[in-house]
Amino acid sequence: MASEQTHLPVSKIGIIGAGISGIAACKQLSAHSPVVFEATDSIGGVWKHCSYTSTRLQTPRCDYEFSDYPWPDRHYSSFPTHLEILDYLHGYATHFDVLKYVKFNSKVVEVRYVGGHEIFQPGEYGALLKGHPAWEVAVQTSASETIQWYAFEFLVVCIGKYGDIPRMPIYPPNKGQEIFQGKVMHSMDYAKLDKEAARKLVEGKKVAIIGYKKSAIDLAVETAEANQGPDGQPCTMVIRTLHWAVPSYWIWGLPFFLFYSTRSSQFLHERPNQSLLKALLCPLLSPARKAVSKFIESYLTWKLPLVKYGLKPDHPFEDDYASCQMATLPENFFSEADEGRILFKRAAKWWFWSGGIEFEDNTKLEADVVFLATGFDEKKKLKDILPEPFCSLILDSSGMMPLYRGTIHPLIPNMAFVGYIESVSNLQTAELRCKWLARLADDQFKLPSVEKMLEQTSKEMEIMKRTTRFYKRHCISTFSINHSDEICEEMGWKSWRKNNWLAEAFSPYSSQDYEEKEST
């Protein structure tokens, strides 16, 4: 790192990252002329840098749109490709003139706190914009080794949970990828290949894919499609933990939203700050929750050859839905398996040998290429950017981020995090919280005390722990409407956004419901 440093005048708001969350934050905070740092040459985040040729949105397009910028043909039934999503994001950014705030090819390499000693004082969190710098940010451009320093009153971190830092397996001594004579690649690096290079990498090759979530499933289909000819080889998915996946958003002829995404369906589930009556009802509603989960499981085991291939999870469907791990299957996933081009191997532990992968049952799998669809280390991403003591405070004892309204960490002053909680639609979740953040920055309402905010985040985390074994993903899908209600009330909006009680009870909520039609 070069030693040359130049300090610029203080700006009110800095934003790190220009993915979905960063662009949403920039638009909502545009009155303050924010400075957005994007390490790459494009907006879009994971849709630009961690997507394959076959990657599609996992929800209908009308469930993944900004409230003031609907999709053209928003009711078109197919799920949009990652290229369509990038076009949509560029259209949004251009329409609202957001790109003028973005500094591309500008990587944040260091952040330091300069706001004083009030971080250790309990009580009120204080205003976001205090009229003096709270954070200094060191930025390096791709064209220069010079470090440029910026100062901000408030910083919004939108670097996301995915991409940048791959989560890598830990191998026994002398059994790592260094002894493998083939090629090992993380799914993140595969996504950087162009279509032709990706095809050449897997065509005619024996491929092993470690993982069984969305990226692994899409990668298996792409590999199978590249091996259609007489010289084609099957790929094998090595699976440690099974998860439920759905072929479409219809269950026994009923739209999926009826089961989890309406007020009436979410009433069955525990939520923060519920009344005493609701708390007493929750145990009594447990059979209904289990019945919904079993109903969906019965359809999936009937519709898909899960038993045939040993892919039926042992845990309830609700565990995956409540942790935002439910994936949608490509149409031809099981047809490729039926043709023998996708194979499956269950294994809790594995390691390399010179010719491929070896398992704890002493069996071996020959491979020319091994893809690690093992996810990303989002915690390291944050810890790499935050200085002490905040680096040590970012996660609580359970390994989760205690974010008030999914945005403010009570123990980190003058900083917000957008894109770190998940729901059915992460775009909708991010946009509403950015609207809340903009009003908070404008001092239209006050935050509770630090103690109250920590109490609220603890309640949410306890509910997640009771709802799913995969709670560390910080998913609010079973109480997302209630979460949005509380945000609306804090902003001074009506929490019930529909036109009539029937729609309130049985219609799903989308970004359109949170369009700014009113001030009260």
Side-chain angles (χ1 to χ4, degrees), residues 115-128:
H117 302 289
E118 63 269 18
I119 57 173
F120 299 109
Q121 297 178 2
E124 297 303 314
Y125 183 89
L128 301 190

Side-chain angles (χ1 to χ4, degrees), residues 101-144:
Y101 301 112
V102 183
K103 292 183 179 294
F104 292 106
N105 299 306
S106 299
K107 183 179 180 180
V108 173
V109 294
E110 185 180 346
V111 172
R112 62 191 183 196
Y113 183 67
V114 293
H117 302 289
E118 63 269 18
I119 57 173
F120 299 109
Q121 297 178 2
E124 297 303 314
Y125 183 89
L128 301 190
L129 301 176
K130 296 183 179 178
H132 58 81
W135 295 95
E136 289 184 343
V137 178
V139 178
Q140 183 175 17
T141 64
S142 57
S144 171

Side-chain angles (χ1 to χ4, degrees), residues 45-106:
V46 293
W47 291 112
K48 175 68 175 178
H49 306 292
C50 294
S51 297
Y52 315 146
T53 301
S54 61
T55 302
R56 289 180 175 270
L57 185 65
Q58 295 199 75
T59 58
R61 63 189 69 207
C62 59
D63 291 335
Y64 197 87
E65 65 182 359
F66 293 103
S67 60
D68 48 8
Y69 192 76
W71 280 89
D73 304 320
R74 64 189 301 268
H75 295 295
Y76 188 50
S77 59
S78 73
F79 296 169
T81 66
H82 74 284
L83 294 177
E84 289 178 287
I85 294 170
L86 286 174
D87 285 342
Y88 172 74
L89 292 178
H90 277 281
Y92 174 83
T94 303
H95 180 76
F96 291 107
D97 201 18
V98 167
L99 296 177
K100 66 183 180 184
Y101 301 112
V102 183
K103 292 183 179 294
F104 292 106
N105 299 306
S106 299

Side-chain angles (χ1 to χ4, degrees), residues 457-520:
T457 59
S458 295
K459 289 178 182 177
E460 292 178 11
M461 292 176 184
E462 286 303 317
I463 288 172
M464 293 176 202
K465 290 177 184 179
R466 289 194 289 269
T467 303
T468 173
R469 68 196 68 190
F470 308 116
Y471 62 86
K472 289 187 180 182
R473 289 178 62 92
H474 206 149
C475 175
I476 61 170
S477 62
T478 58
F479 58 93
S480 59
I481 296 175
N482 175 257
H483 206 270
S484 297
D485 285 349
E486 293 181 342
I487 285 176
C488 287
E489 290 165 3
E490 213 158 35
M491 291 192 295
W493 290 12
K494 293 178 180 177
S495 56
W496 284 35
R497 313 290 296 173
K498 303 287 189 182
N499 294 325
N500 58 72
W501 69 268
L502 198 62
E504 277 292 351
F506 301 110
S507 294
Y509 263 80
S510 70
S511 295
Q512 299 292 310
D513 294 302
Y514 298 102
E515 190 177 0
E516 299 172 48
K517 298 176 181 177
E518 54 186 301
S519 58
T520 59

